[in-house]
Amino acid sequence: MLTVAAQPFAFALPPGRAALVVIDMQRDFVEPGGFGETLGNDVSRLTAIVPTVARLIALFRASGWPVIHTRESHDAALADCPPAKRDRGAPSLRIGDAGPMGRILVRGEPGNAIIAELAPAPGEIVIDKPGKGAFYATALGDILRLKGITHLVLAGVTTEVCVQTTMREANDRGYDCLLIEDATESYFPEFKAATLAMIRAQGGIVGWTAPLAALEAAVAES
Ligand code: C5J
């Protein structure tokens, strides 16, 4: 058992029963011209975490532990996109509209791909999810069960939307979850800070948070 210095207290990580879930590190969220920018966000904020997420992925790969990637995406007919999601607000382009990186948030379009620096390695699982949470309308739960996974390490964007939603879904399903603080980011720094605080409040009501260095140190000591 590895012991990671985390908040609100040490996170016990059982090698062989832990998986990394990297949420939505897609061009649509990180690069200009994608979904994130259509909503009026400064997407440049998110690129700062890319080297840290790459280090985290490398740590899992070197340890032989599973790495799972997610993409927020819809099918070309938008059959899995509720009108309530497409019609919400006043984005410059709506889901399914043609943008500079192809159709916004549509599976298979260039903008929907995971950024090249964090591309999945051959054999790594990629979950296409129509919702914010990675368990909703996907096979993620079945995949984790078949692999015997009980503990999740989470990273990706955005902290308070898809990352937090996934972590809450996982927590309710009985997974112990550790969010890597410097491997997640938001368009809104105050939302990231609030999310980290609410996750670890009340004795870790949703889970744990720790910097990547704490996980690296735990692995090095093992
Ligand atoms: C959002 C996400 N923010 N991946 N998606 O709409 O967090």
Side-chain angles (χ1 to χ4, degrees), residues 68-111:
I68 297 171
H69 308 258
T70 73
R71 294 184 293 220
E72 185 172 343
S73 67
H74 296 282
D75 70 39
L78 303 187
D80 57 359
C81 181
K85 181 175 182 182
R86 179 172 150 82
D87 297 343
R88 183 96 34 94
S92 57
L93 292 171
R94 291 192 185 275
I95 295 169
D97 289 349
M101 295 192 289
R103 293 179 66 202
I104 299 291
L105 226 55
V106 168
R107 225 161 280 155
E109 297 288 337

Side-chain angles (χ1 to χ4, degrees), residues 1-6 9-15 214-215 217-219 221-222:
M1 188 71 82
L2 275 61
T3 302
V4 183
F9 53 89
F11 181 77
L13 187 150
L215 178 58
V219 172
E221 281 163 18
S222 65

Side-chain angles (χ1 to χ4, degrees), residues 199-218:
I199 280 170
R200 59 197 180 209
Q202 304 176 76
I205 199 154
V206 181
W208 288 256
T209 78
L212 176 55
L215 178 58
E216 289 175 329

Side-chain angles (χ1 to χ4, degrees), residues 2 13-20 54-67 124 149 153 212 215-222:
L2 275 61
L13 187 150
R17 289 198 283 137
L20 171 64
R55 251 172 59 211
L56 176 59
I57 292 173
L59 182 69
F60 268 70
R61 285 179 184 155
S63 304
W65 302 339
V67 179
E124 287 177 354
I149 299 297
V153 175
L212 176 55
L215 178 58
E216 289 175 329
V219 172
E221 281 163 18
S222 65

Side-chain angles (χ1 to χ4, degrees), residues 23-24 29 35 39 72 129 132 157-158 161-163 187:
I23 305 284
D24 299 358
F29 292 102
F35 182 59
L39 297 174
E72 185 172 343
K129 60 182 186 60
K132 302 304 181 191
V157 297
T158 59
V161 185
C162 290
V163 175
Y187 301 121

